[in-house]
Amino acid sequence: MHILVFNAGSSSLKFGVFRLDAEDGAVEVFKGSYERFRDGRSEFRFRQGDTDERGTGEIGDIDRAIEAIPAVLGRFGLTEIGAIGHRVVHGGARFSAATILDDVTVAEIDALTPLAPLHNPANLRAVRLCRRLWPDLPQVAVFDTAFHATNPPFATTYAVPRQWREAGLRRYGFHGTSHRYVAQRTAQEIGRPLSDLQIVSVHLGNGASVCAINRGQSMDSSMGMTPLEGLVMGTRSGDVDPGAFGFLSRQFGLSVEAIETALNNDSGLKGLTGSSDMRDLEDRAAKGDPDAQLAIEIFAYRARKYVGAYAAAMGGIDAVVFTGGIGENSPSMRRRICDGLDFMGLRLDHDRNQAVDLSGHAAPQIQAYGSRVRIFVTETAEQLMIARETAAALARPEPVAEPIPVAVSARHVHLTGDAVEALFGPGYRLTPDKPLRQPGQWSARERVALEGPKGRLERVAILGPLRSRTQIEVSRTDSFALGIKAPVRDSGKLEGTPTVTIVGPAGSLVTDGLIIAARHIHTNPADAARLGLEDGEYVDVRIGDHDRGLTFARTLIRVGADSFTEMHIDTDEGNAAGIGVGDGEEGEIVQGQAATVHRRAVV
Ligand code: ADP
């Protein structure tokens, strides 16, 4: 099957055709574009294998360009199109995964226009036209924002009045398809699962953003509610003090629209130098142009600040990856960003940096020998990712709506043998009290206390059997009662977790392993097959249909040979859904748009 991918902007149309291949996934077989629409004409370019056709034709706008595509594809022998994937810039809080387009989802995307008035209308126009031109083909929207749906609220929330926040004013992040691709490519080169790595992805093109990818999930990115926040870009300002609005309005009498337009179209490199093209600026700067020199310094400084900030935000960094026109092609910009970061274990090899060759989808490493942090350069492949996600969205089975028991886990610890001895005395053995529903697991008669800088939690349960690592699972509220920030983690993923003091009758122990357990569903292979679930994927789960019923997004599926099928949430989540420990409430995997209820793991 072939997938036709569209990236329709307000002034250009890019499209590509990908063949789905059992071994290689999606393979690009055709690439096309229409741009520079003027006086009823535009420039086109079509590439297939060694053929590279370009010229000017009588196609005066994007709608006419889309209408011309069936004939173009026919001429290149591409008649077997099975599905269409669309890039959609803003998915708001509503869309956290690629979504099959129908009347309902199109209307929902339309409703997001106030969040992205410059981008979404152009994307939607193409969607509507394609649905008319290819009424029989399934069409899927792939959102720039979706990858960032995992950003925690402390990264996405602006400290502004509640009413504004309730209207959707928050950070969303963009370039998600690119960041996801280069992070996956980096993990592949390193030869470790993405879920083990802390990566900073630096996308420097006309639009530019940095993303912190913490163990496979986007944690933060430099773009905000719109793609205007963050780095200096070709024509966008990036970060400016919002106080500028008042100043500009009072000083020059500028309207909100005029300021927005200037920040989007006449700022960034263009605002600083008159040109938005980094190649121009590098040439001008080398000849002594002070504006170009300053612009390059600002651009690099801002990017470098975000690299450092995101290493700190994640509490570690294994790799930096550069992509986008500037990231891929400018050794001097990469060097400006990386030089002097030795203190955080990041050192560039200048020869490798100079000799980057990206042909054949290469992702060369350019760090110096002995650099703890690896540095990669690779081309981004947003259209390829859109093709892959389109195929994945269409291939997803509809999960079966069958009630799943929900267990609310109160705070508890899992201990090692050494920890038991430290807390209860040498040779001590825990006394199994009550069996849990997961076979072989029990809660012990003994209890411990947890101590942090803010307070102490008494009578905390111990769950057996013993483990090879001590793990302390608390709710977010408990973490505030202790006064320690605990990360949300899957069980067993304890690298870099904070320490807490566990107190027993015979002694106390300071140990890392303090987490808020990510909600999950235990299931076994037989139930998973019946429910249409796969190990490692995430689903949305609805609990209760009473007043306080709600949907839990991103619930991890964990298939174990003997597991009892059951969803585990913590006490905060239970309270939010109006159920308590041991209530026996049942949740149900939500039916609806397949793509929004049932999505693949990032890794
Ligand atoms: P978009 O975000 O529109 O896809 P690109 O990723 O193509 O943009 O990036 C365009 C930017 O890359 C421009 O500023 C361009 O000058 C810059 N660029 C391309 N090649 C080079 C190069 N060899 N050296 C420096 N900058 C380059």
Side-chain angles (χ1 to χ4, degrees), residues 232-577:
V232 173
M233 309 183 212
T235 64
R236 291 179 224 149
S237 62
D239 295 332
V240 285
D241 183 341
F245 271 78
F247 170 80
L248 292 169
S249 141
R250 286 186 296 274
Q251 202 73 4
F252 301 121
L254 290 179
S255 66
V256 169
E257 289 73 20
I259 300 170
E260 264 185 355
T261 305
L263 290 174
N264 273 295
N265 302 340
D266 304 315
S267 298
L269 299 178
K270 185 177 168 200
L272 292 166
T273 68
S275 166
S276 63
D277 191 314
M278 185 56 84
R279 270 168 302 198
D280 267 5
L281 299 196
E282 289 190 355
D283 291 345
R284 280 166 53 183
K287 290 185 188 126
D289 179 332
D291 288 346
Q293 290 173 351
L294 179 62
I296 288 172
E297 284 178 334
I298 301 172
F299 188 96
Y301 178 70
R302 188 85 59 89
R304 180 187 171 86
K305 273 206 302 195
Y306 273 100
V307 171
Y310 286 168
M314 293 190 288
I317 178 169
D318 297 298
V320 172
V321 52
F322 286 98
T323 194
I326 301 168
E328 291 159 23
N329 297 305
S330 174
S332 63
M333 184 51 71
R334 291 193 298 260
R335 181 162 173 177
R336 276 175 192 282
I337 294 169
C338 293
D339 265 357
L341 296 183
D342 300 38
F343 75 91
M344 52 188 253
L346 186 155
R347 195 148 48 86
L348 197 65
D349 180 297
H350 300 311
D351 292 338
R352 286 173 166 184
N353 180 41
Q354 214 58 39
V356 162
D357 176 2
L358 300 180
S359 45
H361 305 292
Q365 302 191 32
I366 58 168
Q367 73 277 6
Y369 182 75
S371 173
R372 195 186 52 70
V373 180
R374 301 188 201 221
I375 310 170
F376 289 84
V377 185
T378 194
E379 274 177 4
T380 191
E382 288 166 292
Q383 293 212 8
L384 173 83
M385 286 299 271
I386 294 174
R388 278 190 199 163
E389 292 201 27
T390 299
L394 295 171
R396 254 168 232 153
E398 273 285 314
V400 173
E402 186 177 308
I404 290 175
V406 177
V408 179
S409 306
R411 63 186 84 106
H412 62 268
V413 299
H414 299 275
L415 299 176
T416 62
D418 287 350
V420 171
E421 296 206 353
L423 298 168
F424 295 94
Y428 192 87
R429 290 185 165 247
L430 294 172
T431 324
D433 184 16
K434 293 194 201 105
L436 304 179
R437 274 198 282 199
Q438 295 306 321
Q441 299 190 13
W442 39 267
S443 63
R445 186 167 304 153
E446 295 81 358
R447 298 287 170 123
V448 287
L450 300 177
E451 244 174 35
K454 170 85 175 83
R456 184 173 156 113
L457 300 170
E458 303 289 350
R459 294 195 47 74
V460 176
I462 305 170
L463 301 190
L466 298 182
R467 291 202 177 175
S468 59
R469 277 276 254 141
T470 288
Q471 175 168 309
I472 305 99
E473 299 181 32
V474 296
S475 69
R476 187 163 171 270
T477 300
D478 291 337
S479 77
F480 277 93
L482 290 169
I484 306 173
K485 179 170 164 38
V488 178
R489 288 282 177 86
D490 295 334
S491 179
K493 302 255 176 189
L494 302 180
E495 207 181 287
T497 48
T499 58
V500 63
T501 305
I502 309 180
V503 184
S508 67
L509 169 73
V510 179
T511 172
D512 68 353
L514 179 72
I515 63 170
I516 299 169
R519 52 181 166 261
H520 52 273
I521 293 177
H522 288 289
T523 185
N524 51 59
D527 283 0
R530 203 184 60 256
L531 293 161
L533 301 174
E534 274 175 38
D535 188 42
E537 76 173 338
Y538 292 90
V539 294
D540 292 358
V541 182
R542 172 101 192 150
I543 294 184
D545 51 10
H546 44 76
D547 287 352
R548 303 210 53 187
L550 51 77
T551 298
F552 287 107
R554 273 191 81 81
T555 306
L556 177 68
I557 300 298
R558 298 172 57 183
V559 180
D562 304 317
S563 296
F564 177 84
T565 297
E566 180 176 70
M567 176 166 173
H568 286 183
I569 58 177
D570 68 20
T571 44
D572 280 352
E573 292 167 323
N575 288 340

